[in-house]
Amino acid sequence: MIRPKTEEEIELLRINGDLVSRTLAEVGKWITPGVSTAKLNEVAETFIRDHGAIPSFKGFDGFPAALCMSVNDVVVHGFPSDRPLEEGDIVSVDCGTLYKGYNGDSAYTFPVGEVDAETRKLLDVTKASLYKGIEAAVAGNRTGDIGYAVQSYAESFGFSVVRELEGHGVGKEMHEEPGVPNYGRRGHGARLLDGMTICIEPMICAGGRGVYLARNGWAVHTADHKNAAHYELTVVVRKGRAEQLSTFDYIEKDGSIKF
Ligand code: MG
Ligand code: MG
């Protein structure tokens, strides 16, 4: 049985959700051809620590950085590097915070300069599939309803859904029960209860859904080396409509940057 969070716990998760959201926006301001993902990682780590929080990914199972930085065919869990981003790349930035014993976790795929139309579509569809998943994250539904919503939307555009990785509950631990797959059958999976806090995070491929693990044991690549996108938000399940604890508004409504 998965315990719903208390309102006090949800408030701490909301503070973390706000911080990861603002960290992603801070990183977004720096994304331009020529910048390295190592530099972006430094920006994020400084920003998180300046707000009195800990970058929770750093040291998690030995992960070496504050951010996962996954470029182009890397789906998730890429290491930051000194290689400069190039015009037309996409970079998926996944960010985690730990503040007052609770976790924040969100991700956003940014275009670097101008990207081609097919890539733009991949980004738009992946993000929209996340919102479809959130719409299904209501009390009384099951995790399979979320997965079905994400999968049916993404596949209707000819894209494919990574199955080896999934969303998750979040609280004192970064990854809690239930698992939240991005594919599934309506009415199947764990029951969603009012007050459960979960991360929904579609990982969608432009080509086939096959993936492999890089030799460093972390980076997940698409087998066909086509692009993949990844968007993640933290929500609290409610009756009628989930409430977002993190947001892309700082990235998209700033006015100075357009993603
Ligand atoms: Mg994440
Ligand atoms: Mg996550």
Side-chain angles (χ1 to χ4, degrees), residues 73-254:
D73 72 315
V74 181
V75 184
V76 287
H77 303 164
F79 291 175
S81 85
D82 292 325
R83 189 182 78 80
L85 293 171
E86 293 175 21
E87 180 93 19
D89 284 346
I90 56 172
V91 57
S92 299
V93 182
D94 197 345
C95 177
T97 59
L98 182 69
Y99 180 73
K100 294 198 172 173
Y102 284 80
N103 282 274
D105 185 8
S106 287
Y108 196 91
T109 302
F110 294 87
V112 180
E114 289 295 318
V115 298
D116 63 54
E118 176 70 5
T119 301
R120 182 69 255 175
K121 190 171 148 198
L122 174 69
L123 302 187
D124 292 343
V125 168
T126 305
K127 189 168 59 178
S129 77
L130 166 57
Y131 290 122
K132 293 286 180 192
I134 292 173
E135 279 174 27
V138 293
N141 272 2
R142 292 180 180 269
T143 53
D145 293 292
I146 298 174
Y148 175 83
V150 170
Q151 179 186 14
S152 56
Y153 185 80
E155 289 182 352
S156 74
F157 292 87
F159 297 135
S160 65
V161 177
V162 172
R163 300 193 181 195
E164 286 78 359
L165 299 133
E166 61 185 17
H168 50 89
V170 64
K172 283 185 177 163
E173 301 297 326
M174 194 195 312
H175 298 136
E176 298 185 352
E177 290 297 318
V180 183
N182 296 302
Y183 67 98
R185 293 169 61 196
R186 283 183 281 195
H188 288 252
R191 175 86 66 189
L192 301 171
L193 305 172
D194 192 357
M196 275 174 53
T197 47
I198 56 174
C199 294
I200 304 176
E201 48 180 316
M203 288 153 260
I204 306 296
C205 305
R209 69 175 173 86
V211 295
Y212 70 92
L213 192 61
R215 242 174 290 167
N216 69 13
W218 278 98
V220 176
H221 290 256
T222 58
D224 59 14
H225 294 291
K226 292 189 175 172
N227 282 344
H230 176 218
Y231 291 82
E232 175 179 21
L233 288 168
T234 303
V235 303
V236 52
V237 172
R238 299 292 197 192
K239 296 188 182 92
R241 184 170 184 83
E243 178 194 341
Q244 280 182 224
L245 299 179
S246 61
T247 176
F248 300 143
D249 284 356
Y250 298 118
I251 297 170
E252 297 173 347
K253 293 191 176 160
D254 175 283

Side-chain angles (χ1 to χ4, degrees), residues 38-51:
K39 173 65 189 176
L40 301 175
N41 181 71
E42 192 187 304
V43 166
E45 179 159 0
T46 301
F47 190 83
I48 291 166
R49 293 193 190 280
D50 282 353
H51 287 80

